[in-house]
Each structure stands twice: as C-alpha cells, then as structure tokens.
C-alpha cells in the first residue's frame, strides 16, 4: 500500500494545482458516458481510452515540468519558458488527437442518433 502513497499524493497535487487537469478529468468522464450510451465497439473503445489517457498523461507531465522549472528558477529565464511552452504544446497535440478521435468515432453516431444522418 505504501507504493500508492506517492502517486496518490501526485494526483492530489495535480487536481489542486492545475484546474486544466480537473477539466480534462470531467471531460473524460463525459466522453466515457457518451461512448457507453452510443454502444461503441471494442476497437472504438481502444481509441477513445487511448486518447483520454494520452491527454491525462501529457497534462500530468506538463505540470511536473512546470513544478521542476519553478523549483529551479523564480526569475524569468528564456530556457525555462521554452521548457514550459514545449510541454504545453505536447498537451495541445494530445488534445487535438483526442478531439479528432472523438469527431471520427462519436460525431457520426450522435448525428445518426438525432436523425441528421
């Protein structure tokens, strides 16, 4: 049980420091609920879950990088800015991937459900 102490502590830090992480968690739950009600198949589940976990993972790493950069310097440093910006870009890429997966898998099913397709 001791092994779970540190990851849980990290999770608590994430949800208290980073409001974006909480937003990603809420979005993930909503997508999972919608996916369940749309009865997506196993392959679609794999893509949806991989997209969700990729966003959560990159956001966690982004926050970790921000914590380390803030530890190293409180002054403005161009390289510190680059590190934060690049980590933030990784989250953006993961989010774009997740959005594309959602559009490809869920949008046609939603449109069919409401009678547009």
């Amino acid at each position: 049980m001791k092994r779970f102490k540190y990851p849980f502590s990290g999770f608590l830090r994430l949800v208290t420091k980073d409001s974006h992480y909480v937003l990603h968690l809420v979005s993930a739950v909503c997508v999972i609920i919608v996916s369940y009600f749309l009865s997506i198949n196993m392959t679609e589940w794999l893509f949806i879950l991989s997209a969700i976990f990729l966003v959560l993972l990159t956001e966690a790493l982004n926050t970790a990088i921000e914590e380390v950069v803030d530890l190293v310097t409180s002054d403005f440093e161009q390289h510190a800015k680059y590190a934060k910006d690049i980590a933030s870009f990784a989250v953006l890429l993961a989010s774009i991937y997740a959005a594309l997966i959602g559009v490809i898998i869920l949008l046609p099913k939603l449109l069919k459900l409401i009678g547009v397709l």
Side-chain angles (χ1 to χ4, degrees), residues 54-69:
L54 182 63
V55 171
L56 294 176
L57 174 67
T58 54
E59 188 65 60
L61 291 173
N62 177 47
T63 302
I65 289 168
E66 288 176 356
E67 290 282 340
V68 171
V69 168

Side-chain angles (χ1 to χ4, degrees), residues 107-117:
L107 186 60
K109 293 179 184 303
L110 287 169
L111 292 176
K112 187 176 181 181
L113 184 68
I114 61 173
V116 175
L117 286 181

Side-chain angles (χ1 to χ4, degrees), residues 5-77:
K5 176 183 175 186
Y6 300 114
F8 186 70
S9 176
F11 175 75
L12 287 177
R13 177 66 177 159
L14 264 173
V15 296
T16 57
K17 179 190 186 289
D18 190 351
S19 61
H20 292 116
Y21 199 80
V22 175
L23 179 63
H24 290 306
L25 285 173
V26 170
S27 299
V29 169
C30 291
V31 168
I32 289 169
I33 291 169
V34 168
S35 297
Y36 174 79
F37 283 111
L38 291 175
S39 300
I40 65 174
N41 66 41
M42 187 68 71
T43 303
E44 292 167 332
W45 271 115
L46 290 172
F47 276 100
I48 292 289
L49 292 175
S50 72
I52 288 170
F53 277 92
L54 182 63
V55 171
L56 294 176
L57 174 67
T58 54
E59 188 65 60
L61 291 173
N62 177 47
T63 302
I65 289 168
E66 288 176 356
E67 290 282 340
V68 171
V69 168
D70 291 345
L71 174 69
V72 172
T73 181
S74 59
D75 298 330
F76 177 81
E77 297 286 342

Side-chain angles (χ1 to χ4, degrees), residues 80-93:
K81 180 185 181 325
Y82 291 152
K84 287 182 172 185
D85 290 351
I86 292 166
S88 178
F89 179 66
V91 176
L92 176 63
L93 288 175

